[in-house]
């Protein structure tokens, strides 16, 4: 395994098999996550994304699986009650790593932040059309982070290049970690059906390599907005190079320490309803054995 690939993609895929377009039932999604932990690519696997509304069902199925569960909980309903339920969990197989919130008014986020347990990170979804400046000070809270939606099951759910690089630049400038969700199944910018249904519409989907490399270069203050657009528009794997001590896109380089820093401090992960699809594509690009 090339060290720079591993540094860039360690724990990068939060498995969201319960969500569209896969939309699996809980049991097969859990079986997948448990099986992925046994593969040679388990180092890429991050959290299992679980709605709080299905936590009880999850606990009932848990004895069937020997795996350890790193959970990211999708929060809905009464936040105070939900956090009390999470605090009462007492199972050595479960670790609550993060909470994920839907788009909320800034005032509501301000009220939620004091309720968050000190060892849990919270991702607040920030729509691209929101008043970003009203959210940035709140997201600088030690337990807060941002979440951006990079796709969905409709063509208009995919952000354009300007929306994406502008929000990532804003997060970097404010030192706010972020994760992405939806639409990043493939390494490089490319066109794909948005669902598995016949006659599905086709969307231009951002690549997770494009986004991960872009985020690292922005975080390390190595590129301008004009270059950011070029990276997001990159479709050729020949312009990305990974070696034992660095990665590069064209003439822009990051060493291993810079990559790890950007992943730890800035770009946390992306949610995907498929874990296998990103792996298969990386194998095709010869970035994975």
């Amino acid at each position: 395994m090339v060290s720079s690939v591993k540094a860039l993609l360690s724990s990068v895929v939060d498995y969201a098999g319960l969500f569209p377009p896969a939309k699996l039932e809980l049991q097969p999604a859990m079986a997948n996550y448990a099986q992925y932990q046994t593969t040679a690519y388990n180092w890429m696997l991050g959290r299992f994304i679980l709605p709080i509304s299905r936590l009880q069902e999850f606990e009932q199925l848990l004895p069937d699986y020997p795996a350890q569960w790193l959970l990211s909980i999708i929060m809905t309903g009464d936040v105070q009650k939900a956090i009390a339920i999470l605090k009462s969990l007492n199972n050595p197989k479960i670790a609550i790593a993060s909470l994920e919130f839907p788009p909320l008014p800034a005032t509501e986020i301000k009220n939620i932040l004091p309720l968050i347990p000190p060892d849990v990170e919270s991702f607040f979804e920030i729509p691209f059309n929101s008043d970003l400046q009203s959210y940035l000070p709140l997201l600088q809270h030690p337990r807060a982070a941002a979440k951006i939606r990079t796709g969905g099951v409709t063509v208009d759910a995919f952000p354009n290049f300007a929306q994406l690089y502008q929000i990532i630049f804003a997060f970097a400038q404010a030192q706010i970690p972020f994760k992405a969700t939806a639409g990043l199944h493939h390494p490089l910018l490319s066109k794909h059906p948005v669902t598995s249904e016949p006659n599905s519409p086709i969307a231009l989907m951002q690549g997770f390599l494009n986004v991960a490399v872009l985020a690292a270069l922005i975080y390390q203050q190595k590129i301008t907005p004009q270059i950011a657009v070029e990276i997001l528009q990159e479709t050729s794997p020949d312009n990305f190079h990974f070696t034992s001590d660095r990665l590069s896109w064209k003439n822009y380089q990051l060493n291993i320490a810079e990559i790890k820093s950007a992943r730890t401090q800035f770009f946390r992960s992306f949610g995907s309803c498929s874990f296998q699809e990103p792996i298969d594509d990386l194998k095709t690009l010869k970035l994975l054995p």
Side-chain angles (χ1 to χ4, degrees):
M1 172 59 56
V2 177
S3 298
S4 57
V5 173
K6 195 162 188 177
L8 185 69
L9 300 179
S10 287
S11 304
V12 77
V13 182
D14 289 339
Y15 179 58
L18 297 174
F19 295 85
K23 213 170 182 180
L24 299 178
E25 292 299 324
L26 184 55
Q27 192 164 26
M30 289 177 68
N32 283 350
Y33 187 80
Q35 191 270 326
Y36 298 149
Q37 290 188 48
T38 68
T39 70
Y41 306 104
N42 59 7
W43 56 271
M44 282 182 58
L45 186 63
R47 309 165 179 94
F48 183 83
I49 301 180
L50 179 73
I52 186 72
S53 60
R54 305 194 72 173
L55 180 60
Q56 186 175 9
E57 182 186 358
F58 172 83
E59 288 186 279
Q60 290 171 347
L61 293 170
L62 202 56
D64 295 338
Y65 302 100
Q68 294 294 311
W69 296 84
L70 189 65
L71 300 184
S72 190
I73 301 294
I74 302 293
M75 301 290 280
T76 53
D78 187 317
V79 173
Q80 199 159 3
K81 182 179 177 182
I83 289 176
I85 291 170
L86 295 175
K87 285 181 176 179
S88 70
L89 287 175
N90 186 24
N91 190 314
K93 293 170 67 174
I94 298 175
I96 307 297
S98 54
L99 312 179
E100 301 188 28
F101 292 87
L104 297 170
T107 52
E108 196 167 338
I109 293 176
K110 185 177 181 179
N111 293 332
I112 289 171
L113 285 170
L115 305 175
I116 305 299
D119 55 345
V120 175
E121 188 169 44
S122 294
F123 292 95
F124 294 93
E125 184 172 340
I126 308 299
F128 287 96
N129 61 357
S130 64
D131 174 16
L132 188 58
Q133 295 307 313
S134 67
Y135 287 98
L136 293 180
L138 292 169
L139 296 175
Q140 289 174 320
H141 188 282
R143 295 190 293 279
K147 175 178 171 180
I148 57 174
R149 190 162 294 275
T150 43
V153 293
T154 59
V155 172
D156 61 4
F158 293 80
N160 61 43
F161 301 120
Q163 288 175 314
L164 192 50
Y165 85 72
Q166 285 171 0
I167 204 167
I168 295 176
F169 263 103
F171 292 153
Q173 187 173 28
Q175 295 290 290
I176 294 168
F178 79 99
K179 72 171 290 185
T181 188
L184 292 180
H185 292 198
H186 304 281
L188 297 176
L189 180 73
S190 49
K191 290 183 177 181
H192 299 277
V194 298
T195 73
S196 57
E197 299 297 322
N199 302 316
S200 168
I202 305 293
L204 185 63
M205 299 184 178
Q206 303 288 346
F208 63 81
L209 273 185
N210 301 76
V211 172
V213 171
L214 171 75
L217 287 168
I218 289 175
Y219 185 72
Q220 302 298 349
Q221 301 181 10
K222 297 200 173 191
I223 57 171
T224 63
Q226 181 180 355
I227 299 301
V229 174
E230 292 182 35
I231 296 172
L232 289 176
Q233 293 176 332
E234 182 63 78
T235 59
S236 173
D238 295 337
N239 286 324
F240 293 91
H241 297 280
F242 295 86
T243 67
S244 61
D245 63 348
R246 67 189 60 247
L247 72 76
S248 61
W249 174 79
K250 294 187 176 178
N251 294 324
Y252 297 88
Q253 298 188 358
L254 293 158
N255 62 38
I256 296 293
E258 290 171 327
I259 300 166
K260 288 182 176 180
S261 172
R263 282 297 321 282
T264 302
Q265 304 297 328
F266 190 47
F267 177 49
R268 293 282 199 261
S269 60
F270 67 91
S272 173
C273 68
S274 173
F275 182 65
Q276 192 61 47
E277 199 167 31
I279 289 170
D280 289 342
D281 281 4
L282 289 169
K283 288 181 177 179
T284 300
L285 295 178
K286 301 190 186 309
L287 293 177
L288 291 180

